[in-house]
Amino acid sequence: MDMTGVQWRKSTKSGSNGGACVEVADDLPGVVLVRDTKDRDNGMLTFTPSAWRAFVAEVSGRS
């Protein structure tokens, strides 16, 4: 996967105390990437955009 130009952003639900934080990159065509802010080099999860929307809706109670 070409990671050139990927733009990571910290989740709006992540705390500011350095605890459980995730970063999301949703600027690539056809894929959403998620990684642990504290362990950026330990891989990432890959979602299709529709799977990511369904996940976010489920965990936020908007399903």
Side-chain angles (χ1 to χ4, degrees), residues 36-60:
D36 184 341
T37 302
K38 297 180 305 305
D39 196 5
R40 293 177 174 144
D41 295 328
N42 198 26
M44 65 194 107
L45 298 174
T46 304
F47 295 87
T48 64
S50 60
W52 179 248
R53 284 190 299 272
F55 171 77
V56 170
E58 183 68 29
V59 298
S60 64

Side-chain angles (χ1 to χ4, degrees), residues 2-56:
D2 182 13
M3 299 292 287
T4 305
V6 68
Q7 295 181 5
W8 293 96
R9 63 180 172 79
K10 187 173 168 183
S11 168
T12 58
K13 299 297 183 186
S14 292
S16 60
N17 64 357
C21 299
V22 296
E23 293 176 322
V24 177
D26 56 5
D27 61 326
L28 298 171
V31 67
V32 177
L33 306 174
V34 181
R35 69 182 179 185
D36 184 341
T37 302
K38 297 180 305 305
D39 196 5
R40 293 177 174 144
D41 295 328
N42 198 26
M44 65 194 107
L45 298 174
T46 304
F47 295 87
T48 64
S50 60
W52 179 248
R53 284 190 299 272
F55 171 77
V56 170

